[in-house]
Amino acid sequence: MIKSYIQLVSKSELDKKLKGHVFHVTPTENMPNIEKSNAVLPNINNERNSLFGNSVNGFFRLRGCVSLFDYREYGSKEWEAHAHKCRPTLPLRETESISILFLSKNEYHKLESWIKWKEEEKWSQRVVPHVEVGYYGSVPLECFTEHLVVEQAGS
């Protein structure tokens, strides 16, 4: 997995890098545990606090999935209508840096769509339509192609 670094100057700068990709975001301080387990693990028992808000009723968490951002539809009308609800940089309010792990395109066929939330009428469960997807079970590190560490400018 290629590791690179970027200081966040603007939202548009990061969005250019993320556009067209599916990725996982975690505080960089979590990476040693991820590397130790050699995978991103689903938060099945809600043991790990999410910096993206309360995940107790997260649609993908309750399905045993790892939640991922889906920027393949970046810029579409549908994507734009929901993207503001959960930004990948949200954890930077609480931590010095975030790690963004880019999922290999070879793994995209394993993704579970948010559409199941709509079809199953799981209205009480949290999901971000058009922006969030799930990967059932653990995501082995070998399934990621790049590890991008993002810091606030001036950090």
Side-chain angles (χ1 to χ4, degrees), residues 39-55:
V40 176
L41 307 174
N43 192 7
I44 295 170
N45 298 319
N46 203 32
E47 296 166 346
R48 295 176 292 282
N49 292 330
S50 171
L51 293 177
F52 291 103
N54 184 354
S55 64

Side-chain angles (χ1 to χ4, degrees), residues 3-129:
K3 188 172 186 177
S4 55
Y5 298 85
I6 186 173
Q7 281 200 325
L8 184 60
V9 175
S10 70
K11 171 186 166 303
S12 62
E13 175 189 8
L14 182 59
D15 282 355
K16 285 179 192 174
K17 178 74 175 160
L18 302 176
K19 182 179 179 180
H21 296 281
V22 174
F23 53 92
H24 182 70
V25 177
T26 190
T28 301
E29 64 194 36
N30 291 348
M31 286 306 297
N33 287 337
I34 291 171
E35 290 167 343
K36 184 178 178 182
S37 63
N38 203 32
V40 176
L41 307 174
N43 192 7
I44 295 170
N45 298 319
N46 203 32
E47 296 166 346
R48 295 176 292 282
N49 292 330
S50 171
L51 293 177
F52 291 103
N54 184 354
S55 64
V56 171
N57 64 340
F59 176 72
F60 289 117
R61 186 191 72 75
L62 292 170
R63 296 176 86 80
C65 295
V66 170
S67 287
L68 302 163
F69 283 90
D70 187 352
Y71 274 38
R72 293 176 291 177
E73 294 182 37
Y74 179 93
S76 71
K77 181 179 175 182
E78 296 84 2
W79 185 91
E80 290 287 345
H82 298 280
H84 69 280
K85 296 175 183 175
C86 188
R87 296 280 311 149
T89 54
L90 195 59
L92 285 173
R93 295 179 189 171
E94 307 283 331
T95 186
E96 291 182 19
S97 66
I98 57 174
S99 286
I100 301 176
L101 303 172
F102 291 86
L103 188 68
S104 168
K105 291 179 180 172
N106 295 335
E107 297 295 307
Y108 286 4
H109 70 280
K110 296 179 182 176
L111 297 173
E112 187 170 321
S113 171
W114 66 272
I115 291 174
K116 288 187 178 185
W117 167 83
K118 185 176 177 181
E119 292 171 349
E120 296 173 9
E121 299 181 356
K122 299 288 187 178
W123 312 131
S124 66
Q125 296 178 7
R126 285 185 65 238
V127 73
V128 184

